PDB file of all heavy atoms in Angstrom:
ATOM      1  N   TRP A 289      86.845  25.839  22.428  1.00  0.00           N
ATOM      2  CA  TRP A 289      87.030  26.700  23.627  1.00  0.00           C
ATOM      3  C   TRP A 289      86.396  26.025  24.818  1.00  0.00           C
ATOM      4  O   TRP A 289      85.284  25.460  24.709  1.00  0.00           O
ATOM      5  CB  TRP A 289      86.392  28.072  23.402  1.00  0.00           C
ATOM      6  CG  TRP A 289      86.984  28.807  22.257  1.00  0.00           C
ATOM      7  CD1 TRP A 289      86.530  28.839  20.975  1.00  0.00           C
ATOM      8  CD2 TRP A 289      88.136  29.678  22.305  1.00  0.00           C
ATOM      9  NE1 TRP A 289      87.326  29.659  20.219  1.00  0.00           N
ATOM     10  CE2 TRP A 289      88.338  30.208  21.031  1.00  0.00           C
ATOM     11  CE3 TRP A 289      89.038  30.032  23.328  1.00  0.00           C
ATOM     12  CZ2 TRP A 289      89.384  31.021  20.663  1.00  0.00           C
ATOM     13  CZ3 TRP A 289      90.044  30.901  22.973  1.00  0.00           C
ATOM     14  CH2 TRP A 289      90.242  31.391  21.668  1.00  0.00           C
ATOM     15  N   LYS A 290      87.078  25.993  25.921  1.00  0.00           N
ATOM     16  CA  LYS A 290      86.559  25.353  27.144  1.00  0.00           C
ATOM     17  C   LYS A 290      86.115  26.371  28.182  1.00  0.00           C
ATOM     18  O   LYS A 290      86.722  27.411  28.355  1.00  0.00           O
ATOM     19  CB  LYS A 290      87.660  24.485  27.773  1.00  0.00           C
ATOM     20  CG  LYS A 290      87.984  23.210  27.021  1.00  0.00           C
ATOM     21  CD  LYS A 290      88.936  22.318  27.791  1.00  0.00           C
ATOM     22  CE  LYS A 290      88.189  21.602  28.892  1.00  0.00           C
ATOM     23  NZ  LYS A 290      89.019  20.553  29.523  1.00  0.00           N
ATOM     24  N   SER A 291      85.005  26.017  28.815  1.00  0.00           N
ATOM     25  CA  SER A 291      84.571  26.695  30.022  1.00  0.00           C
ATOM     26  C   SER A 291      84.304  25.619  31.050  1.00  0.00           C
ATOM     27  O   SER A 291      83.358  24.827  30.902  1.00  0.00           O
ATOM     28  CB  SER A 291      83.273  27.524  29.776  1.00  0.00           C
ATOM     29  OG  SER A 291      82.803  28.090  30.953  1.00  0.00           O
ATOM     30  N   GLY A 292      85.157  25.532  32.068  1.00  0.00           N
ATOM     31  CA  GLY A 292      85.059  24.439  32.978  1.00  0.00           C
ATOM     32  C   GLY A 292      85.372  23.126  32.233  1.00  0.00           C
ATOM     33  O   GLY A 292      86.384  23.053  31.560  1.00  0.00           O
ATOM     34  N   ASP A 293      84.520  22.153  32.331  1.00  0.00           N
ATOM     35  CA  ASP A 293      84.766  20.881  31.649  1.00  0.00           C
ATOM     36  C   ASP A 293      84.072  20.829  30.296  1.00  0.00           C
ATOM     37  O   ASP A 293      84.145  19.773  29.593  1.00  0.00           O
ATOM     38  CB  ASP A 293      84.255  19.702  32.517  1.00  0.00           C
ATOM     39  CG  ASP A 293      85.089  19.583  33.768  1.00  0.00           C
ATOM     40  OD1 ASP A 293      86.276  19.857  33.767  1.00  0.00           O
ATOM     41  OD2 ASP A 293      84.500  19.155  34.827  1.00  0.00           O
ATOM     42  N   THR A 294      83.367  21.878  29.924  1.00  0.00           N
ATOM     43  CA  THR A 294      82.605  21.883  28.667  1.00  0.00           C
ATOM     44  C   THR A 294      83.426  22.434  27.523  1.00  0.00           C
ATOM     45  O   THR A 294      84.022  23.505  27.679  1.00  0.00           O
ATOM     46  CB  THR A 294      81.316  22.714  28.834  1.00  0.00           C
ATOM     47  OG1 THR A 294      80.557  22.194  29.921  1.00  0.00           O
ATOM     48  CG2 THR A 294      80.472  22.611  27.579  1.00  0.00           C
ATOM     49  N   VAL A 295      83.488  21.731  26.427  1.00  0.00           N
ATOM     50  CA  VAL A 295      84.172  22.192  25.251  1.00  0.00           C
ATOM     51  C   VAL A 295      83.151  22.683  24.219  1.00  0.00           C
ATOM     52  O   VAL A 295      82.172  21.994  23.904  1.00  0.00           O
ATOM     53  CB  VAL A 295      85.034  21.044  24.621  1.00  0.00           C
ATOM     54  CG1 VAL A 295      85.676  21.566  23.320  1.00  0.00           C
ATOM     55  CG2 VAL A 295      86.059  20.594  25.593  1.00  0.00           C
ATOM     56  N   TYR A 296      83.375  23.930  23.710  1.00  0.00           N
ATOM     57  CA  TYR A 296      82.478  24.482  22.708  1.00  0.00           C
ATOM     58  C   TYR A 296      83.271  24.625  21.395  1.00  0.00           C
ATOM     59  O   TYR A 296      84.313  25.152  21.335  1.00  0.00           O
ATOM     60  CB  TYR A 296      82.043  25.912  23.161  1.00  0.00           C
ATOM     61  CG  TYR A 296      81.217  25.942  24.429  1.00  0.00           C
ATOM     62  CD1 TYR A 296      81.817  26.153  25.644  1.00  0.00           C
ATOM     63  CD2 TYR A 296      79.861  25.674  24.386  1.00  0.00           C
ATOM     64  CE1 TYR A 296      81.083  26.180  26.839  1.00  0.00           C
ATOM     65  CE2 TYR A 296      79.087  25.728  25.546  1.00  0.00           C
ATOM     66  CZ  TYR A 296      79.745  25.974  26.778  1.00  0.00           C
ATOM     67  OH  TYR A 296      79.001  25.985  27.920  1.00  0.00           O
ATOM     68  N   VAL A 302      77.498  29.831  23.438  1.00  0.00           N
ATOM     69  CA  VAL A 302      77.905  29.741  24.830  1.00  0.00           C
ATOM     70  C   VAL A 302      76.895  30.428  25.696  1.00  0.00           C
ATOM     71  O   VAL A 302      76.367  31.478  25.343  1.00  0.00           O
ATOM     72  CB  VAL A 302      79.305  30.417  25.016  1.00  0.00           C
ATOM     73  CG1 VAL A 302      79.742  30.323  26.452  1.00  0.00           C
ATOM     74  CG2 VAL A 302      80.314  29.754  24.106  1.00  0.00           C
ATOM     75  N   VAL A 306      78.724  32.911  30.828  1.00  0.00           N
ATOM     76  CA  VAL A 306      80.174  32.711  30.617  1.00  0.00           C
ATOM     77  C   VAL A 306      80.868  34.011  30.332  1.00  0.00           C
ATOM     78  O   VAL A 306      80.415  34.783  29.448  1.00  0.00           O
ATOM     79  CB  VAL A 306      80.405  31.693  29.490  1.00  0.00           C
ATOM     80  CG1 VAL A 306      81.870  31.604  29.183  1.00  0.00           C
ATOM     81  CG2 VAL A 306      79.846  30.335  29.881  1.00  0.00           C
ATOM     82  N   THR A 307      81.915  34.333  31.061  1.00  0.00           N
ATOM     83  CA  THR A 307      82.676  35.536  30.831  1.00  0.00           C
ATOM     84  C   THR A 307      84.149  35.250  30.471  1.00  0.00           C
ATOM     85  O   THR A 307      84.884  36.170  30.182  1.00  0.00           O
ATOM     86  CB  THR A 307      82.693  36.422  32.083  1.00  0.00           C
ATOM     87  OG1 THR A 307      83.229  35.669  33.215  1.00  0.00           O
ATOM     88  CG2 THR A 307      81.270  36.886  32.440  1.00  0.00           C
ATOM     89  N   SER A 308      84.522  33.969  30.444  1.00  0.00           N
ATOM     90  CA  SER A 308      85.895  33.639  30.039  1.00  0.00           C
ATOM     91  C   SER A 308      85.902  32.262  29.380  1.00  0.00           C
ATOM     92  O   SER A 308      85.106  31.371  29.769  1.00  0.00           O
ATOM     93  CB  SER A 308      86.875  33.702  31.210  1.00  0.00           C
ATOM     94  OG  SER A 308      86.540  32.722  32.166  1.00  0.00           O
ATOM     95  N   LEU A 309      86.815  32.121  28.432  1.00  0.00           N
ATOM     96  CA  LEU A 309      86.954  30.855  27.754  1.00  0.00           C
ATOM     97  C   LEU A 309      88.429  30.570  27.612  1.00  0.00           C
ATOM     98  O   LEU A 309      89.257  31.492  27.543  1.00  0.00           O
ATOM     99  CB  LEU A 309      86.311  30.889  26.355  1.00  0.00           C
ATOM    100  CG  LEU A 309      84.788  30.995  26.298  1.00  0.00           C
ATOM    101  CD1 LEU A 309      84.356  31.356  24.892  1.00  0.00           C
ATOM    102  CD2 LEU A 309      84.149  29.656  26.705  1.00  0.00           C
ATOM    103  N   THR A 310      88.782  29.318  27.543  1.00  0.00           N
ATOM    104  CA  THR A 310      90.196  28.912  27.348  1.00  0.00           C
ATOM    105  C   THR A 310      90.307  28.078  26.088  1.00  0.00           C
ATOM    106  O   THR A 310      89.541  27.171  25.846  1.00  0.00           O
ATOM    107  CB  THR A 310      90.673  28.076  28.576  1.00  0.00           C
ATOM    108  OG1 THR A 310      90.568  28.898  29.767  1.00  0.00           O
ATOM    109  CG2 THR A 310      92.097  27.615  28.368  1.00  0.00           C
TER     110      THR A 310
END
Side-chain angles (χ1 to χ4, degrees):
W289 299 93
K290 288 188 77 173
S291 175
D293 294 328
T294 304
V295 177
Y296 298 94
V302 179
V306 173
T307 58
S308 64
L309 293 167
T310 298

